[in-house]
Amino acid sequence: MAETKLLMWAGILCCLIWNGFAQQGGSDCIKANAKSCGECIQAGPNCGWCKKTDFLQEGEPTSARCDDLAALKSKGCPMKDIEDPRGSKQVLEDREVTNRKIGAAEKLKPEAITQIQPQKLVLKLRVGEPQTFSLKFKRAEDYPIDLYYLMDLSYSMKDDLENVKSLGTALMLEMEKITSDFRIGFGSFVEKTVMPYISTTPAKLRNPCTGDQNCTSPFSYKNVLSLTSEGNKFNELVGKQHISGNLDSPEGGFDAIMQVAVCGEQIGWRNVTRLLVFSTDAGFHFAGDGKLGGIVLPNDGKCHLENNMYTMSHYYDYPSIAHLVQKLSENNIQTIFAVTEEFQAVYKELKNLIPKSAVGTLSSNSSNVIQLIIDAYNSLSSEVILENSKLPKGVTISYKSFCKNGVNDTQEDGRKCSNISIGDEVKFEINVTANECPKKGQNETIKIKPLGFTEEVEIHLQFICECQCQSEGEPNSPACHEGNGTFECGACRCNEGRIGRLCECSTDEVNSEDMDAYCRRENSTEICSNNGECICGQCVCKKRENTNEVYSGKYCECDNFNCDRSNGLICGGNGICKCRVCECFPNFTGSACDCSLDTFPCMASNGQICNGRGTCECGTCNCTDPKFQGPTCEMCQTCLGVCAEHKDCVQCRAFDKGEKKETCSQECMHFNMTRVESRDKLPQPGQPDPLSHCKEKDVDDCWFYFTYSVNSNGEANVHVVETPECPSGPDIIPIVAGVVAGIVLIGLALLLIWKLLMIIHDRREFAKFEKEKMNAKWDTQENPIYKSPINNFKNPNYGRKAGL
């Protein structure tokens, strides 16, 4: 019985918790005050719209159709009538990543190699509901590489040029270990050809170097060799290059980088891995520095190469770092800064601003440039960083990476994986969420790609901003007051100038006093019970701050929060408030549902309700016998206990002793007695007859145990344990030994104390003696009472002359 009641309480509690969560979740839906199904589903991913025609109660506005799904079900809206469109994803192109080895007979074109999967998909997005898809990336072996070597040809790089002249063939041999399809190009730069960057005197324009040095005329940027697979041609053309010169220390390298990035046709970039090696031993000019030469127009980020020479350096300012980052990223170019030790710190800071870039230390004569390029390439290609195009307004994207060796990351670190070798496969989990619908509801496209790679994932975004039932709406429907609105999704969407739940009123009639008469209860002056507005002769109840509290009824006279309370809860938490009256859950009654019909709390320990001496009312015992008290009428302050009352009779009948031993047969035969072996064999609580367990002491100070019960026929039954529990006698030997040992120890302790006191006394007396001795005024070497036996007398005439 107890288990059944426990399960019932658990069920009620679960219902209350579920309803609480449903109402809490639905609050955002209700707050949206949605007038249509489309507005409702945009309020949140858990909002649904009930299109059942007769769903609304009197006084409820159209927006009450929008609520949490669980709340709509609890209000009686069938699942088939709930509009709740969900987002989805569809993969349109899903080619597997390429698996092949270097040196394989199969020679693939770059566009036939796949390193990222999938390639194209469609996401249908509902506001607030993220759509997730997985992206796979695998570094393909033998992937083609285009490398463009951009070199500073100012005078300080003279010895470096000699080493670069043989770079083509040497680098070709090294890169063959990585790829069988490698192309190399060369370009050079110096500075803008205006003062104060260079000297504009005719002689200096012909030869900017001093002394007998033969230098070429200064220039901004020159494309010496477009990308080619002929290493010898690289050596030949670079061998013909000459050093130039300029006046200031920083160089115009940013102008050159911009042209290399945007002049794809002239440079010859393919849709493969693109590497730009930027070699210099100086700093750089950037946006704003052009003002020194009177150049104020911002760099336009377009190609201006004529005959492989940059012709607009005197017209456009240097590009900014952000502009440079944008163009390098758009053109999938990975940059390697090969700079001398002196400028390492500067270019490392620049590297932090340019994604997918690396910095290497260039020796003073560029002799280590090949190893520097190989190391930088390995560093760049071992890291993949995902980048997305500009997101539409209201759309957010998040990444989670699943890299090698179980390394996972989220947020910004979720965009990248490091330490990737050729042939390694990594995965990313990408979440796309729409936080609002586009104003025009048009579709959008975004792209995700790994930085430095041309391959990308194309994602078409479709937004769920309307319900399916809206397309089935009936314009100018008779259901909307003579065609003054469109009947869709179970409700009227009014035409312009019409209002009301059924569009029955024009905006000009809203304040009419005749309409107000329909909104007043009989014999009342209050419009809509002061709990709503009269719109077109109908009450539309106002909303409260707490969205769980609502007004309802034809005149908004009902609510669900003004019912009687118990323990601070509406309807005691045991019912639902409907129109200010509590509808109680099963097993509860009363105006506040605070009266429980469950008798379990009234059950006494003997199994009887209120111990047979009261009635159970609202889960509490009302004791009818004034002598008994307590929650189950088991306490009696003036009653002689059952155990004490029958103690003497049980003692005389079971053990033949006690005060009633002589009169046992006359006074103690009113009950049936049964002997049992031990206390475990005594009857236990739970039997239908009232039962008392007793423990009493007999005349020999022994404890005996028995139970007393009365059956339904009024017969008394006693079960008694046949062997009492008697205390054992004292053990004499340990007691005597303890007393003797105590006396001896106490005597020894007293002797020790006496001895200690005597020692302390002697030491004090000796100290006193020593002190008096030190204070004596006489010579300590002689006894003051000693008298010498020798007396000395002096002759007064001794020593005088005769005759005197």
Side-chain angles (χ1 to χ4, degrees), residues 286-321:
F286 54 90
D289 288 355
K291 290 182 179 179
L292 294 172
I295 303 172
V296 294
L297 282 178
N299 195 287
D300 64 350
K302 296 180 181 179
C303 182
H304 297 288
L305 288 186
E306 292 182 12
N307 297 322
N308 289 321
M309 295 289 289
Y310 179 39
T311 59
M312 303 296 285
S313 67
H314 65 287
Y315 191 75
Y316 289 117
D317 193 5
Y318 302 98
S320 66
I321 295 175

Short mmCIF file of all heavy atoms in Angstrom, two decimals, residues 286-321:
data_model
loop_
_atom_site.label_atom_id
_atom_site.label_comp_id
_atom_site.label_asym_id
_atom_site.label_seq_id
_atom_site.Cartn_x
_atom_site.Cartn_y
_atom_site.Cartn_z
N PHE A 286 53.99 51.07 -45.24
CA PHE A 286 52.60 50.64 -45.34
C PHE A 286 51.70 51.87 -45.44
O PHE A 286 52.19 53.01 -45.52
CB PHE A 286 52.20 49.75 -44.16
CG PHE A 286 52.47 50.33 -42.81
CD1 PHE A 286 51.52 51.09 -42.16
CD2 PHE A 286 53.70 50.12 -42.19
CE1 PHE A 286 51.77 51.63 -40.91
CE2 PHE A 286 53.95 50.66 -40.95
CZ PHE A 286 52.99 51.42 -40.30
N ALA A 287 50.38 51.64 -45.49
CA ALA A 287 49.41 52.70 -45.78
C ALA A 287 49.66 53.93 -44.91
O ALA A 287 49.81 53.83 -43.70
CB ALA A 287 47.99 52.17 -45.56
N GLY A 288 49.68 55.09 -45.54
CA GLY A 288 49.92 56.36 -44.86
C GLY A 288 51.31 56.90 -45.10
O GLY A 288 51.51 58.12 -45.09
N ASP A 289 52.27 56.01 -45.35
CA ASP A 289 53.64 56.47 -45.61
C ASP A 289 53.76 57.20 -46.94
O ASP A 289 54.70 57.96 -47.17
CB ASP A 289 54.61 55.29 -45.60
CG ASP A 289 54.83 54.73 -44.20
OD1 ASP A 289 54.29 55.34 -43.25
OD2 ASP A 289 55.50 53.70 -44.05
N GLY A 290 52.80 56.96 -47.85
CA GLY A 290 52.86 57.63 -49.16
C GLY A 290 52.73 59.14 -49.07
O GLY A 290 53.10 59.85 -50.01
N LYS A 291 52.21 59.64 -47.95
CA LYS A 291 52.06 61.09 -47.80
C LYS A 291 53.42 61.80 -47.86
O LYS A 291 53.50 62.98 -48.22
CB LYS A 291 51.38 61.40 -46.48
CG LYS A 291 49.91 61.01 -46.45
CD LYS A 291 49.26 61.39 -45.12
CE LYS A 291 47.79 61.02 -45.11
NZ LYS A 291 47.14 61.37 -43.82
N LEU A 292 54.48 61.08 -47.49
CA LEU A 292 55.81 61.69 -47.56
C LEU A 292 56.16 62.09 -49.00
O LEU A 292 56.90 63.05 -49.22
CB LEU A 292 56.86 60.71 -47.02
CG LEU A 292 56.77 60.37 -45.53
CD1 LEU A 292 57.73 59.24 -45.19
CD2 LEU A 292 57.09 61.61 -44.70
N GLY A 293 55.63 61.35 -49.94
CA GLY A 293 55.89 61.67 -51.36
C GLY A 293 54.72 62.33 -52.03
O GLY A 293 54.65 62.37 -53.27
N GLY A 294 53.75 62.81 -51.23
CA GLY A 294 52.59 63.49 -51.79
C GLY A 294 51.56 62.55 -52.38
O GLY A 294 50.71 62.96 -53.18
N ILE A 295 51.59 61.27 -52.00
CA ILE A 295 50.64 60.28 -52.52
C ILE A 295 49.59 60.03 -51.44
O ILE A 295 49.92 59.56 -50.35
CB ILE A 295 51.37 58.97 -52.88
CG1 ILE A 295 52.47 59.24 -53.90
CG2 ILE A 295 50.38 57.94 -53.41
CD1 ILE A 295 53.37 58.06 -54.17
N VAL A 296 48.34 60.35 -51.75
CA VAL A 296 47.29 60.25 -50.73
C VAL A 296 46.17 59.29 -51.12
O VAL A 296 45.33 58.95 -50.29
CB VAL A 296 46.69 61.64 -50.41
CG1 VAL A 296 47.72 62.52 -49.77
CG2 VAL A 296 46.12 62.28 -51.66
N LEU A 297 46.11 58.87 -52.37
CA LEU A 297 45.04 57.96 -52.79
C LEU A 297 45.29 56.56 -52.23
O LEU A 297 46.39 56.01 -52.39
CB LEU A 297 44.97 57.88 -54.32
CG LEU A 297 44.29 59.05 -55.04
CD1 LEU A 297 44.35 58.85 -56.54
CD2 LEU A 297 42.85 59.19 -54.58
N PRO A 298 44.30 55.97 -51.56
CA PRO A 298 44.49 54.62 -51.03
C PRO A 298 44.71 53.61 -52.15
O PRO A 298 44.20 53.78 -53.27
CB PRO A 298 43.17 54.33 -50.29
CG PRO A 298 42.53 55.65 -50.08
CD PRO A 298 42.97 56.51 -51.21
N ASN A 299 45.45 52.59 -51.86
CA ASN A 299 45.69 51.53 -52.84
C ASN A 299 44.37 50.90 -53.24
O ASN A 299 43.56 50.54 -52.38
CB ASN A 299 46.63 50.49 -52.23
CG ASN A 299 47.21 49.57 -53.28
OD1 ASN A 299 46.52 48.71 -53.81
ND2 ASN A 299 48.48 49.75 -53.56
N ASP A 300 44.14 50.72 -54.55
CA ASP A 300 42.85 50.21 -55.02
C ASP A 300 42.79 48.70 -55.09
O ASP A 300 41.74 48.12 -55.39
CB ASP A 300 42.51 50.81 -56.39
CG ASP A 300 43.51 50.38 -57.47
OD1 ASP A 300 44.56 49.78 -57.12
OD2 ASP A 300 43.24 50.65 -58.65
N GLY A 301 43.90 48.01 -54.81
CA GLY A 301 43.88 46.55 -54.79
C GLY A 301 43.65 45.92 -56.15
O GLY A 301 43.14 44.79 -56.24
N LYS A 302 44.01 46.62 -57.24
CA LYS A 302 43.85 46.09 -58.60
C LYS A 302 45.20 45.94 -59.27
O LYS A 302 46.20 46.51 -58.83
CB LYS A 302 42.95 47.01 -59.41
CG LYS A 302 41.52 47.09 -58.88
CD LYS A 302 40.68 48.02 -59.74
CE LYS A 302 39.25 48.10 -59.18
NZ LYS A 302 38.41 49.03 -59.97
N CYS A 303 45.20 45.17 -60.34
CA CYS A 303 46.45 44.91 -61.06
C CYS A 303 46.78 46.08 -61.98
O CYS A 303 45.92 46.54 -62.76
CB CYS A 303 46.31 43.62 -61.86
SG CYS A 303 47.81 43.16 -62.74
N HIS A 304 48.02 46.56 -61.91
CA HIS A 304 48.47 47.67 -62.76
C HIS A 304 49.84 47.32 -63.36
O HIS A 304 50.79 48.09 -63.24
CB HIS A 304 48.57 48.96 -61.95
CG HIS A 304 47.26 49.43 -61.41
ND1 HIS A 304 46.27 49.98 -62.18
CD2 HIS A 304 46.76 49.42 -60.14
CE1 HIS A 304 45.23 50.29 -61.43
NE2 HIS A 304 45.50 49.96 -60.18
N LEU A 305 49.95 46.15 -63.97
CA LEU A 305 51.20 45.75 -64.61
C LEU A 305 51.14 46.04 -66.11
O LEU A 305 50.20 45.62 -66.79
CB LEU A 305 51.46 44.25 -64.40
CG LEU A 305 51.87 43.78 -63.00
CD1 LEU A 305 52.21 42.30 -63.02
CD2 LEU A 305 53.04 44.57 -62.45
N GLU A 306 52.13 46.76 -66.60
CA GLU A 306 52.30 46.98 -68.03
C GLU A 306 53.72 46.61 -68.38
O GLU A 306 54.68 47.14 -67.81
CB GLU A 306 52.02 48.44 -68.39
CG GLU A 306 50.56 48.85 -68.21
CD GLU A 306 50.32 50.29 -68.63
OE1 GLU A 306 51.23 50.87 -69.26
OE2 GLU A 306 49.24 50.82 -68.30
N ASN A 307 53.83 45.67 -69.32
CA ASN A 307 55.16 45.13 -69.67
C ASN A 307 55.87 44.62 -68.42
O ASN A 307 57.07 44.84 -68.23
CB ASN A 307 56.00 46.18 -70.38
CG ASN A 307 55.39 46.62 -71.71
OD1 ASN A 307 54.83 45.78 -72.43
ND2 ASN A 307 55.49 47.90 -72.02
N ASN A 308 55.06 43.98 -67.54
CA ASN A 308 55.58 43.36 -66.31
C ASN A 308 56.15 44.36 -65.32
O ASN A 308 56.90 43.99 -64.41
CB ASN A 308 56.65 42.31 -66.63
CG ASN A 308 56.05 41.07 -67.26
OD1 ASN A 308 54.97 40.63 -66.86
ND2 ASN A 308 56.73 40.51 -68.25
N MET A 309 55.79 45.66 -65.48
CA MET A 309 56.24 46.67 -64.53
C MET A 309 55.02 47.31 -63.87
O MET A 309 54.01 47.60 -64.52
CB MET A 309 57.06 47.76 -65.24
CG MET A 309 58.37 47.26 -65.82
SD MET A 309 59.62 46.88 -64.58
CE MET A 309 60.03 48.50 -64.02
N TYR A 310 55.11 47.56 -62.54
CA TYR A 310 54.04 48.25 -61.81
C TYR A 310 54.12 49.73 -62.13
O TYR A 310 55.13 50.39 -61.84
CB TYR A 310 54.19 47.99 -60.31
CG TYR A 310 53.16 48.66 -59.44
CD1 TYR A 310 51.82 48.74 -59.83
CD2 TYR A 310 53.51 49.23 -58.22
CE1 TYR A 310 50.87 49.34 -59.03
CE2 TYR A 310 52.56 49.84 -57.40
CZ TYR A 310 51.24 49.90 -57.82
OH TYR A 310 50.29 50.51 -57.02
N THR A 311 53.05 50.26 -62.73
CA THR A 311 53.11 51.61 -63.27
C THR A 311 52.43 52.66 -62.41
O THR A 311 52.45 53.84 -62.74
CB THR A 311 52.44 51.62 -64.67
OG1 THR A 311 51.08 51.18 -64.54
CG2 THR A 311 53.20 50.71 -65.63
N MET A 312 51.78 52.26 -61.34
CA MET A 312 50.99 53.22 -60.55
C MET A 312 51.56 53.44 -59.15
O MET A 312 50.85 53.87 -58.24
CB MET A 312 49.53 52.75 -60.45
CG MET A 312 48.86 52.54 -61.79
SD MET A 312 48.71 54.07 -62.74
CE MET A 312 47.38 54.86 -61.87
N SER A 313 52.82 53.17 -58.97
CA SER A 313 53.41 53.34 -57.64
C SER A 313 53.43 54.80 -57.22
O SER A 313 53.35 55.12 -56.04
CB SER A 313 54.83 52.77 -57.61
OG SER A 313 55.69 53.54 -58.42
N HIS A 314 53.53 55.72 -58.19
CA HIS A 314 53.55 57.15 -57.88
C HIS A 314 52.14 57.71 -57.66
O HIS A 314 51.99 58.87 -57.27
CB HIS A 314 54.21 57.91 -59.03
CG HIS A 314 53.44 57.82 -60.31
ND1 HIS A 314 53.39 56.66 -61.07
CD2 HIS A 314 52.64 58.74 -60.96
CE1 HIS A 314 52.63 56.86 -62.12
NE2 HIS A 314 52.16 58.11 -62.08
N TYR A 315 51.12 56.89 -57.93
CA TYR A 315 49.73 57.37 -57.90
C TYR A 315 48.96 56.84 -56.68
O TYR A 315 48.18 57.56 -56.08
CB TYR A 315 49.05 56.93 -59.19
CG TYR A 315 47.70 57.57 -59.42
CD1 TYR A 315 47.60 58.90 -59.83
CD2 TYR A 315 46.53 56.84 -59.26
CE1 TYR A 315 46.36 59.48 -60.06
CE2 TYR A 315 45.28 57.42 -59.48
CZ TYR A 315 45.20 58.73 -59.87
OH TYR A 315 43.97 59.31 -60.09
N TYR A 316 49.20 55.59 -56.33
CA TYR A 316 48.49 54.97 -55.21
C TYR A 316 49.43 54.76 -54.02
O TYR A 316 50.60 54.39 -54.19
CB TYR A 316 47.90 53.61 -55.61
CG TYR A 316 46.72 53.71 -56.55
CD1 TYR A 316 46.79 53.17 -57.83
CD2 TYR A 316 45.55 54.33 -56.15
CE1 TYR A 316 45.71 53.26 -58.69
CE2 TYR A 316 44.46 54.42 -57.02
CZ TYR A 316 44.55 53.89 -58.29
OH TYR A 316 43.48 53.98 -59.14
N ASP A 317 48.88 54.95 -52.85
CA ASP A 317 49.63 54.75 -51.61
C ASP A 317 49.96 53.26 -51.42
O ASP A 317 49.42 52.39 -52.11
CB ASP A 317 48.78 55.25 -50.43
CG ASP A 317 49.57 55.38 -49.14
OD1 ASP A 317 50.80 55.18 -49.18
OD2 ASP A 317 48.95 55.66 -48.10
N TYR A 318 50.83 52.98 -50.45
CA TYR A 318 51.10 51.59 -50.09
C TYR A 318 49.82 50.94 -49.54
O TYR A 318 48.99 51.62 -48.91
CB TYR A 318 52.18 51.50 -49.01
CG TYR A 318 53.50 52.14 -49.39
CD1 TYR A 318 53.81 53.44 -48.96
CD2 TYR A 318 54.44 51.46 -50.15
CE1 TYR A 318 55.01 54.03 -49.29
CE2 TYR A 318 55.66 52.04 -50.49
CZ TYR A 318 55.93 53.33 -50.06
OH TYR A 318 57.12 53.92 -50.39
N PRO A 319 49.63 49.66 -49.74
CA PRO A 319 48.44 49.00 -49.14
C PRO A 319 48.59 48.86 -47.63
O PRO A 319 49.71 48.80 -47.11
CB PRO A 319 48.40 47.63 -49.82
CG PRO A 319 49.81 47.38 -50.25
CD PRO A 319 50.41 48.72 -50.54
N SER A 320 47.45 48.81 -46.95
CA SER A 320 47.47 48.55 -45.51
C SER A 320 47.66 47.06 -45.28
O SER A 320 47.47 46.22 -46.19
CB SER A 320 46.17 49.01 -44.86
OG SER A 320 45.08 48.21 -45.33
N ILE A 321 48.01 46.71 -44.06
CA ILE A 321 48.19 45.29 -43.73
C ILE A 321 46.88 44.54 -43.87
O ILE A 321 46.83 43.43 -44.42
CB ILE A 321 48.77 45.15 -42.31
CG1 ILE A 321 50.17 45.75 -42.24
CG2 ILE A 321 48.80 43.69 -41.89
CD1 ILE A 321 50.78 45.76 -40.84
#
